[in-house]
Amino acid sequence: MDGRRRPRPHPQIEASEEGVRSPAVTKYLPFNNDMLREILLRLPPQPSSLLRASAVCKRWRSLVTDTKFVSLFRAHHRKPPLLGLFEASGKGMAFKSILDPPDRIPPQRFNLACHSGVRGHYLLDCRHGCLLLKAWAKEEVFVCDPMTGQRRRLVAPPEFVRGQTKGAVLCTAGDHGHVHGGCHLSSYKVVLVSSDKRPVACVYSLETGQWGNLIPTKFPCEIYDVGTTAATLVGNVLYWLFKADTNTLASDRILAFDLDRQSLAVTVGPPVTNGFFGGHRKIVKAADGAVGFAILSNYCFQMWQKNVNGQGGAIWMPLKTIEMHNILGLSRQIGEERCNIPLLGYDEDNDVIFVHASHNVYAVQLKSMQSKKLYGTNCTNPIHPFTSFYTPGTSINGGSNGAEMLHDT
């Protein structure tokens, strides 16, 4: 630079009718609510996005809290984000946020202890933004929406009061383009299955408020529980993992309930020769909507896929086997614990399994086989992923999740 001071640009001067010189009126593009709405719709679906936008001014808050905008926001993003995990422990169920600040949601936001009547229940399932809880040796079943605090108490049929009862909750809204997250409770159904002597299933519709008929398997088949295994939804079929004999850990059995056909069947798992504990395997989604099977044993992580053959039958085929030290982020943590790395849960929407290694919980993406450390814990109880849209103005446990959440860490 030559050191000389450059002249400052002056606004264009025009003469008015009175002869007074005045700045020209700047020509702006019209910036109406429709244009602003289109911009805000494209914010990322993380919890802090709309909360920060709502704190800008009254106009923005009016837009992002409008029910029509919230519906458009969900439809634009299609898939609700994974907000955290529900983990069962000796002190009850606790919510663990896995997001970084400012998106981290404090555990007290989803404190189920504040629901009268829910204390002492265990978590059967979590899907489409709702929880399914059941009382020990009682007929009570609860469907809870942690976002709004809404809950519905159901009285289960006597076949599901005692014994080995599993369950699933899911939204069955049939509207074209329906996006889960913020679904009305009336659109949910509850499926309970009992594995005593002859497995039987029953479906409850929250829309009609009635249980359907009992649906048994075609043939008697005694199967045994493998712990609090959650259901996996693949297509329109729910799958639960069991075993055929308490002394033969490798003989897995899969209980499948077809929601369209309203049928219950028992199928055989992949022909695994090694003995594994129940926590070391999960039913997962495979390519092209097929059923998959994930097994973690010793050094290796195995994936199987169930393929349909030309005769109408199905056969399990090995998909891939990966040594654990090749999984990003887990190589240094395995050490002496390589033989004891339980699988804690599975996120159907994002195809992610959760494993426990060296006092930490990791998320492993099954397609890329890359991992991320989530949080430290000594607890190895099952965890349930919770996905939903966290939008401003949503009532949580009788309160509001307004912009003050941005100050929580």
Side-chain angles (χ1 to χ4, degrees):
M1 297 179 63
D2 57 7
R4 290 178 295 179
R5 187 175 182 181
R6 295 187 178 185
R8 296 179 60 185
H10 293 281
Q12 183 180 354
I13 304 298
E14 292 182 353
S16 65
E17 294 180 356
E18 291 80 8
V20 179
R21 297 163 63 87
S22 62
V25 178
T26 305
K27 301 296 189 296
Y28 291 101
L29 289 173
F31 193 66
N32 53 28
N33 282 354
D34 291 337
M35 183 179 296
L36 179 58
R37 185 181 295 110
E38 289 298 320
I39 295 174
L40 295 175
L41 283 175
R42 285 156 176 78
L43 291 174
Q46 300 306 315
S48 67
S49 297
L50 293 185
L51 293 176
R52 286 176 178 270
S54 68
V56 171
C57 61
K58 290 183 178 180
R59 179 190 178 192
W60 284 34
R61 179 169 180 82
S62 176
L63 278 175
V64 299
T65 57
D66 181 68
T67 54
K68 182 180 178 181
F69 173 85
V70 173
S71 298
L72 291 172
F73 186 79
R74 292 168 178 159
H76 176 78
H77 290 284
R78 300 296 303 167
K79 183 188 293 185
L82 177 63
L83 300 181
L85 310 167
F86 278 97
E87 180 184 72
S89 65
K91 298 180 180 180
M93 287 169 294
F95 176 77
K96 297 274 190 179
S97 178
I98 61 173
L99 302 176
D100 297 325
D103 296 308
R104 185 183 300 274
I105 300 174
Q108 59 268 25
R109 295 285 179 176
F110 299 140
N111 183 11
L112 298 181
C114 66
H115 294 284
S116 59
V118 175
R119 299 182 184 88
H121 291 59
Y122 63 98
L123 188 56
L124 282 177
D125 195 35
C126 177
R127 184 177 290 102
H128 299 161
C130 263
L131 307 179
L132 178 64
L133 305 104
K134 187 182 183 300
W136 292 100
K138 292 183 180 180
E139 72 280 0
E140 284 188 335
V141 179
F142 281 93
V143 178
C144 295
D145 183 347
M147 294 293 295
T148 64
Q150 291 181 305
R151 65 183 177 91
R152 189 79 63 86
R153 177 182 177 271
L154 319 179
V155 178
E159 289 80 3
F160 305 97
V161 174
R162 297 183 182 276
Q164 302 171 30
T165 299
K166 304 293 184 184
V169 60
L170 70 159
C171 173
T172 58
D175 297 341
H176 178 70
H178 176 76
V179 178
H180 298 301
C183 310
H184 196 275
L185 276 184
S186 62
S187 62
Y188 284 88
K189 288 185 178 179
V190 171
V191 180
L192 294 181
V193 294
S194 177
S195 59
D196 288 344
K197 296 183 179 179
R198 185 172 184 175
V200 63
C202 197
V203 181
Y204 182 90
S205 170
L206 272 75
E207 182 179 12
T208 63
Q210 294 181 342
W211 288 98
N213 298 325
L214 293 177
I215 304 172
T217 55
K218 190 175 183 179
F219 303 103
C221 179
E222 192 167 7
I223 55 180
Y224 297 87
D225 197 0
V226 291
T228 53
T229 304
T232 300
L233 178 65
V234 182
N236 241 10
V237 181
L238 288 162
Y239 296 92
W240 289 269
L241 180 63
F242 291 85
K243 59 177 177 282
D245 189 283
T246 54
N247 297 318
T248 310
L249 294 174
S251 55
D252 293 303
R253 293 296 182 268
I254 297 174
L255 196 58
F257 181 76
D258 192 310
L259 292 161
D260 291 334
R261 299 179 181 179
Q262 294 287 288
S263 62
L264 185 67
V266 177
T267 62
V268 181
V272 181
T273 57
N274 296 40
F276 305 112
F277 292 104
H280 287 169
R281 72 247 285 164
K282 287 292 177 185
I283 302 171
V284 298
K285 289 182 178 179
D288 302 322
V291 180
F293 203 86
I295 307 172
L296 182 60
S297 173
N298 298 330
Y299 296 92
C300 295
F301 187 91
Q302 299 177 334
M303 286 285 296
W304 293 72
Q305 178 172 315
K306 194 173 187 180
N307 296 330
V308 178
N309 57 34
Q311 289 74 37
I315 183 172
W316 285 101
M317 298 294 295
L319 196 59
K320 57 184 175 182
T321 300
I322 300 177
E323 294 187 5
M324 288 298 293
H325 69 264
N326 291 328
I327 298 179
L328 181 64
L330 287 181
S331 58
R332 293 189 302 273
Q333 281 74 26
I334 295 176
E336 297 178 355
E337 294 181 307
R338 58 178 174 266
C339 297
N340 186 27
I341 305 177
L343 305 184
L344 305 181
Y346 175 62
D347 178 8
E348 303 163 349
D349 296 326
N350 299 292
D351 198 25
V352 171
I353 62 168
F354 301 93
V355 302
H356 185 273
S358 293
H359 312 291
N360 291 294
V361 173
Y362 293 84
V364 180
Q365 217 290 324
L366 292 182
K367 288 185 177 61
S368 65
M369 295 308 294
Q370 292 186 343
S371 67
K372 178 184 178 182
K373 178 180 173 182
L374 300 180
Y375 58 89
T377 180
N378 292 323
C379 181
T380 58
N381 291 332
I383 54 180
H384 298 260
F386 180 70
T387 60
S388 189
F389 289 100
Y390 197 94
T391 55
T394 302
S395 174
I396 294 182
N397 297 336
S400 174
N401 74 342
E404 72 274 2
M405 195 209 74
L406 297 175
H407 302 291
D408 295 323
T409 57

